Amino acid sequence: KKGCWIYEIGNIYYKSNNGIEEETMLCGILCGENRMDRWSTNGKSKFLDYYEARGKLTTIFMKLKIDIEDIRNIKTEPHIHPGISSALMLEGKHIGTFGQIHPELANKLNMQRDIYIFELNLKPILDSATRKNKWLKSFKQYNTNPFMERDISMIVSKSTSSRKVADLIKKTGKPILEKVELIDRFEGGSLNDEECSITFRMSYRHKDKTLKEEDIIDIHEKIRTNLVNSISAILRS
């Protein structure tokens, strides 16, 4: 119950048209409670949810300066929950899977269900992280103009990737939209089983001047309209 976050690196072998192929895999599990949060939960146990567990991998990928994309994993391994999992993509290629242990397997082994498994092909990760152009340093003038923040909350289908929504916002908000951040995701309550509520925080900043409210109104409204038209979002704010 105190938590177990472990990994293992090893080789797997499989048959192909070329004979026996070998791949080096990075696999691991994350389970148990987040002890650092205990003080804020009145001493009650607080187990990792899917997004907190997935966030642990995201932190590592960010340190390696690589961008991993999550695609809803329609076809999963039998030991992974088909509805709480994702295929992980790097540079357009499938490199592995992340998801919750299948409840039938958890029951069979008398294990808790808040266990998350990841299986990653290590070679493409290392290739991307160590590519020479990843380490070229460049200087960019820091923008000292103040920024303005706005939030957008919306209801979307659970199958809609948060990254897809963020990319759409970034594309529409050029050239003064500087940063887009997912700050909240909610399921349940008055929402049906196929919906979720997500909230993004956007930071607007101009490179040459201090922005005023009238400078962002048109672009912000354009973003809202594009979300409705492109992904059928139901805006909440």
Side-chain angles (χ1 to χ4, degrees):
K1 292 184 178 180
K2 293 183 179 180
C4 179
W5 302 356
I6 60 175
Y7 73 91
E8 180 180 9
I9 296 175
N11 295 330
I12 63 169
Y13 304 89
Y14 59 91
K15 291 182 179 180
S16 72
N17 295 332
N18 298 321
I20 302 297
E21 299 283 345
E22 177 186 79
E23 285 185 352
T24 301
M25 301 294 292
L26 168 62
C27 305
I29 63 170
L30 299 91
C31 66
E33 63 175 311
N34 190 340
R35 302 292 288 185
M36 294 300 291
D37 272 352
R38 190 100 182 225
W39 68 272
S40 63
T41 58
N42 297 321
K44 297 180 181 179
S45 295
K46 180 179 183 298
F47 294 97
L48 290 169
D49 64 21
Y50 176 89
Y51 299 98
E52 290 172 325
R54 177 64 181 86
K56 306 302 179 183
L57 283 186
T58 298
T59 300
I60 296 172
F61 294 146
M62 290 176 64
K63 295 288 186 181
L64 295 174
K65 301 184 185 300
I66 58 177
D67 188 18
I68 303 292
E69 182 180 5
D70 289 50
I71 304 295
R72 184 176 180 182
N73 210 7
I74 299 173
K75 187 176 182 180
T76 60
E77 300 295 331
H79 57 279
I80 297 179
H81 195 306
I84 312 178
S85 59
S86 293
L88 303 184
M89 310 293 290
L90 174 60
E91 298 174 348
K93 297 181 180 179
H94 178 260
I95 63 163
T97 305
F98 181 91
Q100 188 177 30
I101 187 173
H102 199 292
E104 291 182 359
L105 179 59
N107 291 337
K108 181 179 179 180
L109 299 177
N110 194 27
M111 301 171 68
Q112 67 187 60
R113 296 190 180 188
D114 300 290
I115 297 175
Y116 302 92
I117 304 168
F118 59 89
E119 300 169 334
L120 304 171
N121 189 332
L122 191 58
K123 185 178 185 304
I125 294 175
L126 295 179
D127 287 346
S128 179
T130 57
R131 193 175 297 121
K132 288 184 178 180
N133 60 9
K134 288 284 183 181
W135 305 106
L136 291 178
K137 296 182 179 180
S138 61
F139 174 77
K140 183 179 180 180
Q141 183 67 41
Y142 181 73
N143 192 337
T144 58
N145 292 316
F147 60 85
M148 299 178 68
E149 288 187 337
R150 294 291 183 273
D151 293 350
I152 291 182
S153 295
M154 70 198 84
I155 298 173
V156 297
S157 168
K158 283 184 180 179
S159 62
T160 302
S161 165
S162 295
R163 180 176 297 277
K164 177 182 178 182
V165 180
D167 288 344
L168 179 62
I169 293 173
K170 289 177 184 177
K171 183 178 179 180
T172 311
K174 292 179 178 180
I176 63 171
L177 181 61
E178 184 178 69
K179 185 172 70 171
V180 179
E181 180 183 10
L182 177 66
I183 62 171
D184 184 63
R185 189 179 192 280
F186 173 77
E187 297 179 15
S190 61
L191 302 176
N192 66 46
D193 293 340
E194 300 301 320
E195 294 177 335
C196 67
S197 173
I198 54 178
T199 301
F200 285 88
R201 177 157 295 160
M202 289 151 290
S203 298
Y204 295 97
R205 177 158 26 200
H206 197 284
K207 64 177 182 177
D208 298 323
K209 67 176 184 178
T210 297
L211 288 173
K212 298 180 180 179
E213 184 67 30
E214 55 265 29
D215 294 323
I216 70 170
I217 288 178
D218 289 344
I219 288 183
H220 193 70
E221 189 58 35
K222 184 179 178 181
I223 290 172
R224 291 167 56 86
T225 300
N226 207 11
L227 289 170
V228 173
N229 295 335
S230 298
I231 60 171
S232 301
I234 301 173
L235 301 179
R236 308 185 76 177
S237 67

